[in-house]
Amino acid sequence: MSELGHILTFPILIPLVVGAVLILINERYHRLKFAVNMLSTLSLLVVSIVLLLITEQHTEVTSQVVYLAANWQAPFGIVLVADRLSAIMLVLTAVVANGALLFSFSRWAQVGVHFHTLFQLLLMGIHGALLTGDIFNLFVFFEIMLAASYGLLLHGYNVVRVRAGLQYITINLIASVFFLIGIALIYAAAGSLNLADIAALISTLDDSSRFLFHTGAAVLAVAFLTKSAMWPLGFWLPNAYIAAAPPVTALLVVLTKIGIYVVLRLYLLFFGDHAGASAGFGTGLLLYGGLLTMAYGIIGLIASQESNRIASYSAIVSSGTLLALIGMNNPAVLSSMLFYLISSTLAVAAFALLSELISRIYPTRNQVLAITFEAFEVDETHDVSSGYVIPAAMAFLGLSGMACALIIAGLPPLSGFVAKFAMLHQLLQAETITLAAWMFLILIISAGLGSIITFVRFGIRSFWASHRETPPLLKLTEVAPIIVILMVCVGLVVFAGPIFELLERTMSEASNTPMYIERVLGQPATGGNA
Amino acid sequence: MEFILAIAIGILFASGIWLILRPRSFQVIIGLMLLSYATNLFIFITGKLAIDQPAFTGTSDAVEMAQFTDPLPQALVLTAIVIGFATTALYLVVLLGSRGLTGTDHVDGKEREVTHE
């Protein structure tokens, strides 16, 4: 292991330390707290990009950077592994996190206590889940992530949030029980908790152990599919998204995608071609579950009137699409799947932030919020008078709303179109197009139609039919993150060629499980072996 | 002994599942606790049951592995207990908050409307 390996601990240690330090700073100094948090989150963006560059520098097939915690060799100690896939997810998380944090500056960070600490701990959990190479460690990081998300969901305590929080926490605690049972069964079958080690052992399992292993994997899948909101496990999602504060909703969008990432990672490691008799286990379930989720999401989307609800059903449609693509067991679609994941996460997160700004067109609907602000003595008028208000607010809202709609619906010229076009292209290139692929094609096009209907109706009601004389007051810190996130989406289109090449490399590397096993288990401990 | 433990875990799971399907948040939290106890026992037995066998050896001599019990599930259970304890405490806070804000201990935050005929 070179010195480079230590950089893998930064995405976990920075938020841990900063989160702890932030507790010590009194809530009165909210600008200081915000500055510390922003500094940390920006440094995490830098670390993620550096990590991506490091994994890119390895010109050979493998690019994994392996970190042996406490210098114990792989199956015995806990390892952190970064490859291109986890590095890309880290960068995506960092972009959304920076946007959400900046957005929260003007009011949301002040409607409750310890927002910044919980924010950092959530990032720690996400990063740990992305980097760990050990299945029990994955559980621990998931719990950190979820515990922080419970706190953030309840941030700005009101009746709606507590009601939604109670259900969200219950669902996730039950999912955690499934998670543990799954891990226990896998350990009973394979006798290891290291992902690479388990992946290496799968093809050697005897029949009774294999049965146990499959049971364990299926139980584990219940936990992750609950998090990634597959029908019928995803009914918690709209309530949680709607109740949460907008910056928190943007982070929940990322959280849902972490569920997808884990499904993808474990699927590739456990049930790829190397797995012998286990190869392809559960693909049908993922495929048809994904298709049903898409159908459910489309129906929910068309029925949605409020912007929050539109955002949550868009997230469900996107989860369904991703799960169905994983379930197709077709390596060719994986790179466009990843492109779709990035583009839809950014668009839904941007729309979640934007929806709160749009709702300011109707001030009377925000009564509950006003009470929260009063309770925490957030002085709104002070900030407004200090000159950060942007001009042409309505034009901004309209244009960015349209941009989000175009990406989510997958219309040209933005990144959603590129993603969908790539998927359709890959699927139609196959020699025989299966029934499932046809169903997927129909659903993905209906999803586009459904989103367009919903967004057009929403746009007409918000922007054309609102009888309001003065446009809402928007602050620069609220507008900037949305513009940045949408510009990243534009960047995805402009540099679509190089990005697709990167994603091709990413997925061919992530699918190459024997190489992963060799890299992780072959990583020597440093120093003298006494 | 396996049989007794299996029955015990089964009863804990069954009671837990029944309780989490009840409408009162107190019943749900008791159900969640029973589920986590059942899960902890379940993890424990994945290391196979053994009586009077140590998990570690004090000597560096070569030892027969069959004489030792698997220490890993015990470590896992310990971690799971700590995490389960923390999340249960957190759930308890939210439960009390919900009771205070909504005035009811129903999990939906409102009583079901009962029609008297």
Side-chain angles (χ1 to χ4, degrees):
Chain A
M1 176 176 55
S2 61
E3 304 303 314
L4 273 178
H6 289 287
I7 198 177
L8 284 194
T9 58
F10 291 2
I12 298 165
L13 290 182
I14 293 175
L16 175 66
V17 172
V18 173
V21 168
L22 280 168
I23 297 180
L24 303 175
I25 305 175
N26 194 298
E27 291 289 335
R28 271 178 304 168
Y29 309 110
H30 78 88
R31 275 167 198 275
L32 176 64
K33 287 191 97 146
F34 174 81
V36 173
N37 192 354
M38 195 77 222
L39 200 67
S40 158
T41 316
L42 278 174
S43 69
L44 288 172
L45 178 64
V46 174
V47 170
S48 314
I49 292 173
V50 169
L51 209 55
L52 182 60
L53 292 178
I54 291 174
T55 54
E56 262 298 279
Q57 261 181 357
H58 291 236
T59 41
E60 328 98 78
V61 193
T62 67
S63 68
Q64 287 98 346
V65 185
V66 182
Y67 177 79
L68 305 175
N71 209 13
W72 283 91
Q73 245 192 316
F76 303 110
I78 287 171
V79 286
L80 299 179
V81 187
D83 57 3
R84 295 190 181 102
L85 180 58
S86 37
I88 287 174
M89 292 298 291
L90 279 175
V91 175
L92 177 67
T93 309
V95 169
V96 176
N98 275 295
L101 182 60
L102 189 60
F103 186 89
S104 72
F105 172 69
S106 59
R107 37 164 92 182
W108 291 104
Q110 300 166 53
V111 298
V113 291
H114 296 309
F115 175 81
H116 297 294
T117 302
L118 290 169
F119 190 92
Q120 286 294 313
L121 291 179
L122 182 74
L123 289 183
M124 175 195 167
I126 293 178
H127 292 166
L130 290 174
L131 290 175
T132 185
D134 182 282
I135 198 163
F136 195 76
N137 206 227
L138 182 70
F139 168 74
V140 175
F141 280 119
F142 247 78
E143 286 304 308
I144 293 172
M145 179 173 103
L146 288 171
S149 80
Y150 304 152
L152 283 175
L153 180 64
L154 294 167
H155 178 73
Y157 221 60
N158 64 28
V159 178
V160 183
R161 294 207 179 116
V162 170
R163 210 180 274 163
L166 196 69
Q167 291 162 4
Y168 175 73
I169 297 175
T170 312
I171 296 282
N172 278 303
L173 289 182
I174 296 168
S176 298
V177 168
F178 278 106
F179 201 151
L180 277 173
I181 297 172
I183 291 176
L185 284 169
I186 286 179
Y187 178 71
S192 178
L193 292 169
N194 185 295
L195 290 177
D197 201 24
I198 298 172
L201 287 167
I202 287 171
S203 54
T204 64
L205 294 176
D206 59 38
D207 277 349
S208 62
S209 295
R210 188 180 302 281
F211 176 72
L212 207 57
F213 184 81
H214 284 178
T215 317
V219 174
L220 204 58
V222 174
F224 297 126
L225 293 176
T226 306
K227 262 133 215 170
S228 47
M230 185 174 93
W231 188 89
L233 303 169
F235 295 125
W236 58 270
L237 188 139
N239 284 337
Y241 275 33
I242 291 166
V248 179
T249 312
L251 288 172
L252 287 179
V253 175
V254 177
L255 227 61
T256 313
K257 295 299 184 286
I258 300 299
I260 305 265
Y261 161 84
V262 175
V263 170
L264 175 66
R265 170 71 79 192
L266 293 188
Y267 176 75
L268 290 175
L269 282 178
F270 289 174
F271 302 120
D273 292 334
H274 66 287
S278 290
F281 172 75
T283 42
L285 186 94
L286 281 179
L287 176 57
Y288 291 103
L291 292 176
L292 280 169
T293 312
M294 286 168 81
Y296 165 67
I298 296 166
I299 295 169
L301 197 59
I302 295 176
S304 304
Q305 309 277 347
E306 304 144 15
S307 50
N308 279 331
R309 204 168 277 279
I310 296 176
S312 44
Y313 281 104
S314 307
I316 290 180
V317 172
S318 132
S319 281
T321 311
L322 293 166
L323 290 171
L325 283 172
I326 297 174
M328 289 205 183
N329 202 9
N330 177 357
V333 296
L334 286 179
S335 55
S336 44
M337 181 215 114
L338 198 55
F339 192 91
Y340 178 76
L341 187 150
I342 296 168
S343 133
S344 72
T345 308
L346 291 172
V348 177
F351 189 70
L353 296 178
L354 190 68
S355 71
E356 197 256 333
L357 302 183
I358 293 175
S359 73
R360 284 188 205 164
I361 302 175
Y362 316 100
T364 46
R365 292 194 199 161
N366 287 334
Q367 295 300 341
V368 184
L369 200 64
I371 296 166
T372 322
F373 282 137
E374 211 165 292
F376 281 93
E377 296 175 339
V378 177
D379 189 3
E380 272 192 279
T381 48
H382 170 73
D383 276 351
V384 169
S385 59
S386 58
Y388 291 113
V389 178
I390 64 146
M394 285 303 275
F396 165 76
L397 289 179
L399 281 176
S400 13
M402 201 173 77
C404 290
L406 288 180
I407 300 173
I408 292 170
L411 292 181
L414 289 174
S415 55
F417 173 72
V418 179
K420 282 196 181 173
F421 182 80
M423 280 190 258
L424 298 184
H425 177 70
Q426 300 284 11
L427 283 175
L428 290 174
Q429 244 185 357
E431 286 181 8
T432 51
I433 301 169
T434 57
L435 180 67
W438 279 119
M439 281 159 68
F440 179 79
L441 292 180
I442 293 169
L443 279 170
I444 193 98
I445 289 166
S446 330
L449 182 67
S451 342
I452 273 302
I453 293 172
T454 313
F455 277 104
V456 166
R457 184 180 54 199
F458 174 72
I460 290 174
R461 286 198 185 157
S462 313
F463 300 118
W464 289 353
S466 65
H467 305 286
R468 194 184 145 126
E469 299 295 318
T470 50
L473 297 170
L474 307 180
K475 284 159 216 157
L476 189 62
T477 53
E478 293 170 330
V479 170
I482 296 173
I483 294 178
V484 170
I485 291 177
L486 289 176
M487 287 318 283
V488 174
C489 288
V490 173
L492 284 178
V493 180
V494 175
F495 301 104
I499 287 174
F500 257 101
E501 279 166 21
L502 168 67
L503 297 182
E504 292 278 349
R505 282 198 295 276
T506 305
M507 292 321 297
S508 67
E509 172 201 59
S511 321
N512 192 348
T513 306
M515 197 63 88
Y516 179 94
I517 297 168
E518 200 189 307
R519 279 289 289 129
V520 174
L521 296 183
Q523 180 75 32
T526 50
N529 294 331
Chain B
M1 193 166 72
E2 280 87 354
F3 181 72
I4 297 172
L5 205 52
I7 295 285
I9 294 172
I11 291 174
L12 278 176
F13 265 122
S15 326
I17 290 168
W18 188 72
L19 279 171
I20 59 169
L21 297 175
R22 304 293 300 159
R24 304 286 154 199
S25 48
F26 184 72
Q27 294 166 321
V28 173
I29 195 170
I30 298 291
L32 285 171
M33 285 164 75
L34 291 183
L35 282 183
S36 74
Y37 295 154
T39 313
N40 290 340
L41 282 174
F42 184 81
I43 299 173
F44 185 68
I45 61 160
T46 56
K48 298 216 168 57
L49 288 174
I51 294 172
D52 264 356
Q53 288 186 347
F56 292 102
T57 165
T59 65
S60 57
D61 305 336
V63 287
E64 185 65 37
M65 287 308 283
Q67 289 174 355
F68 292 92
T69 186
D70 190 348
L72 198 69
Q74 304 179 12
L76 299 188
V77 169
L78 198 61
T79 319
I81 289 173
V82 174
I83 291 177
F85 181 70
T87 46
T88 309
L90 199 134
Y91 187 79
L92 201 59
V93 173
V94 181
L95 184 156
L96 290 173
S98 165
R99 175 76 180 83
L101 282 177
T102 61
T104 165
D105 61 350
H106 197 283
V107 285
D108 289 339
K110 58 182 179 221
E111 289 294 328
R112 245 171 73 192
E113 283 158 32
V114 184
T115 47
H116 296 283
E117 289 175 23

